[in-house]
Amino acid sequence: MTTTPPRVPLGSLPPREHLRLGQIATVLDVVIPVYNEERDLEPCVRRLREHLARTFPYGFRITIADNASTDRTPEVAARLDDALDEVTAVRLEEKGRGRALRAVWSLSDAPVLAYMDVDLSTDLNALLPLVAPLISGHSDLAIGSRLSRSARVVRGPKREFISRAYNLILRGSLAARFSDAQCGFKAIRGEVAARLLPMVEDTGWFFDTELLVLAERAGLRIHEVPVDWIDDPHSTVRLVRTATDDLKGVWRVGRALATGGLPLDRLARPFGDDPRDRELTGVPGGLARQLVGFCVVGGLSTLLYLGLFSLFRLGAGAQLANAAALLLSALANTAANRRLTFGVRGRDRAVRHQAQGLVVLAIGLVLTSGSLAALDAAGGTAGHGTELAVLVSANLAATVLRFLLFRAWVFPDRERRDDDLAAPPYPSHDRNGPVDPIGPIDPNDPNDLTRSAR
């Protein structure tokens, strides 16, 4: 291990670029987290080193991360460290795969970081396709998938059922789109890891899932590689306990995402890597995503508005029912757009935003009230269905103007950038109390290594 990677400044990540490989001695750092693996460790490391020396065209390192083993694993790791130039052994005094990966990845100077299980269940021929998109700058993370159609997997029905059920839970609860969260075969670009790792709270088996969910929600690109995988019949993973911890993690991450407790904006990539894209000024960012969010919030607000109007119409006139329904739905609409569409967090300026939203409401009120007045002026008694149709048309007419006012006046880009710069770089507290952010760390100090693993 050499120097600590530089702290990434606040703001979004820079555009992805192809690594300047001629200037980098160690391009890839493959971590093997182990706990009491004295039997499998040496053949695994030697086989991996031979494969990388034969197939990987750049400099590499293999790091053995010992998770407080109580057998002869530390001795085997030390012997491999002495015998093989490309192998480094690191000892941690606490268990946890996530803790081991966080510690080693945080200290590594390699621009591409990977890990795999010690049993080498995954065919090593997938390693180069795994890291190639990260080297080229196409993707931010890469994962092996045992659930892809072209993957070939040999394992028992129990593990197959648990794996597929778990990924269905992730899709249903956290809207995850990646296919295999727990395959022990993943890679990440170094600058992404430096920004993402301090946001990941779990130190055990849920570490992978949390890392992927946060990366996906932030809009980072995850590359999937179908793998050939053979189950290890001697695996020591406790399925029931691991599944329980994973479900607790799903609940914790889902709650944090729902409440906006994670600064995911700091993981965003700019669109494209053309240098001209970086020189353009005055072009609003994230327009497509904001349009989608605005339409979703608008659709739900319309349903709320129509429901409230129908309810209030039972005991009041059309104009009063319209005003009351529009007021309540507008308050909910402004709050939802503030957080979900335009990404403004915290309570700062919330009252001002609601006041500005009420001004936008007045425009909608003029349009909808005017449409009802025009309906009355047309003569005759209009039915309830006709009133609803006229109101829907008026609301659609006001939608474009409402979005433009929200984007340019209520939630301008400058204000959202100010929120990002004013926030602390990483969460200051987790469920266990204050968090000590990782860095700067002295790689020659074992106490710092233990601190980075917390």
Side-chain angles (χ1 to χ4, degrees), residues 304-316 321 324-325 328 384 388:
L304 176 63
Y305 164 76
L306 293 176
L308 291 173
F309 177 81
S310 298
L311 178 63
F312 295 152
R313 191 68 175 86
L314 297 176
L328 294 178
H384 183 61
L388 290 180

Side-chain angles (χ1 to χ4, degrees), residues 8 81 94 105 133 154 171 185 209 231 270 316 320 364 375 377 410:
V8 184
D81 190 342
E94 296 181 83
W105 281 355
V154 178
R171 288 176 178 268
F185 195 69
T209 301
D231 190 14
L320 182 59
L375 182 63
V410 184

Side-chain angles (χ1 to χ4, degrees), residues 4-209:
T4 303
R7 292 296 299 273
V8 184
L10 294 179
S12 62
L13 285 165
R16 286 182 296 265
E17 294 181 348
H18 193 291
L19 298 177
R20 299 183 177 128
L21 300 173
Q23 305 174 16
I24 305 172
T26 302
V27 173
L28 174 66
D29 192 350
V30 183
V31 182
I32 304 177
V34 293
Y35 174 73
N36 289 349
E37 298 287 356
E38 60 181 4
R39 181 175 62 89
D40 294 333
L41 179 57
E42 183 164 359
C44 161
V45 171
R46 291 189 176 277
R47 179 184 164 196
L48 175 60
R49 175 185 175 274
E50 179 184 356
H51 176 84
L52 286 171
R54 180 167 42 88
T55 64
F56 192 70
Y58 312 112
F60 65 88
R61 179 191 306 122
I62 300 172
T63 302
I64 304 169
D66 176 20
N67 284 194
S69 295
T70 57
D71 63 358
R72 294 181 55 254
T73 297
E75 301 173 24
V76 177
R79 186 169 66 246
L80 290 169
D81 190 342
D82 292 338
L84 304 175
D85 293 337
E86 301 89 350
V87 176
T88 299
V90 175
R91 167 76 175 181
L92 292 94
E93 299 303 329
E94 296 181 83
K95 290 177 60 177
R97 181 177 69 176
R99 177 177 286 110
L101 293 177
R102 184 200 308 274
V104 177
W105 281 355
S106 297
L107 291 172
S108 179
D109 60 341
V112 178
L113 311 168
Y115 97 88
M116 62 180 60
D117 293 335
V118 69
D119 54 21
L120 294 187
S121 296
T122 304
D123 181 13
L124 292 179
N125 287 325
L127 183 55
L128 186 55
L130 183 80
V131 301
L134 309 186
I135 294 174
S136 69
H138 175 269
S139 300
D140 299 291
L141 298 92
I143 64 174
S145 175
R146 300 163 296 184
L147 303 180
S148 174
R149 288 188 176 183
S150 56
R152 297 187 297 177
V153 177
V154 178
R155 61 176 168 180
K158 181 179 179 181
R159 284 181 173 269
E160 181 75 11
F161 172 79
I162 292 175
S163 180
R164 292 189 178 274
Y166 179 63
N167 282 279
L168 285 175
I169 291 173
L170 293 181
R171 288 176 178 268
S173 59
L174 299 178
R177 295 189 298 273
F178 48 84
S179 66
D180 192 351
Q182 291 288 28
C183 180
F185 195 69
K186 295 182 175 68
I188 185 172
R189 282 179 67 106
E191 78 273 14
V192 176
R195 189 76 64 86
L196 184 55
L197 288 178
M199 300 183 190
V200 179
E201 181 178 328
D202 192 80
T203 59
W205 292 96
F206 186 70
F207 175 89
D208 301 51
T209 301

Side-chain angles (χ1 to χ4, degrees), residues 227-397:
V227 297
D228 298 339
W229 195 85
I230 301 177
D231 190 14
D232 178 14
H234 305 293
S235 175
T236 58
V237 178
R238 300 176 181 177
L239 295 180
V240 175
R241 179 177 177 181
T242 300
T244 302
D245 292 341
D246 286 346
L247 292 176
K248 292 179 180 178
V250 168
W251 168 256
R252 174 177 54 79
V253 172
R255 183 177 58 185
L257 292 172
T259 58
L262 295 167
L264 297 181
D265 291 346
R266 294 184 195 129
L267 298 174
R269 291 282 197 187
F271 181 80
D273 62 353
D274 191 311
R276 292 171 296 179
D277 294 341
R278 307 174 210 170
E279 296 171 359
L280 293 175
T281 59
V283 178
L287 178 60
R289 180 187 62 80
Q290 290 177 1
L291 278 173
V292 172
F294 182 80
C295 290
V296 171
V297 172
L300 295 176
S301 298
T302 300
L303 293 177
L304 176 63
Y305 164 76
L306 293 176
L308 291 173
F309 177 81
S310 298
L311 178 63
F312 295 152
R313 191 68 175 86
L314 297 176
Q319 293 287 4
L320 182 59
N322 172 62
L326 198 59
L327 174 62
L328 294 178
S329 61
L331 293 175
N333 179 277
T334 300
N337 275 309
R338 183 178 189 270
R339 177 64 193 96
L340 301 177
T341 304
F342 298 99
V344 179
R345 300 181 300 274
R347 299 180 180 178
D348 187 34
R349 297 188 293 273
V351 175
R352 190 189 74 180
H353 292 156
Q354 285 291 354
Q356 292 173 308
L358 290 177
V359 175
V360 178
L361 162 68
I363 298 175
L365 183 61
V366 169
L367 290 174
T368 53
S369 298
S371 64
L372 286 175
L375 182 63
D376 291 338
T381 303
H384 183 61
T386 303
E387 288 180 343
L388 290 180
V390 170
L391 289 174
V392 169
S393 300
N395 273 287
L396 289 176

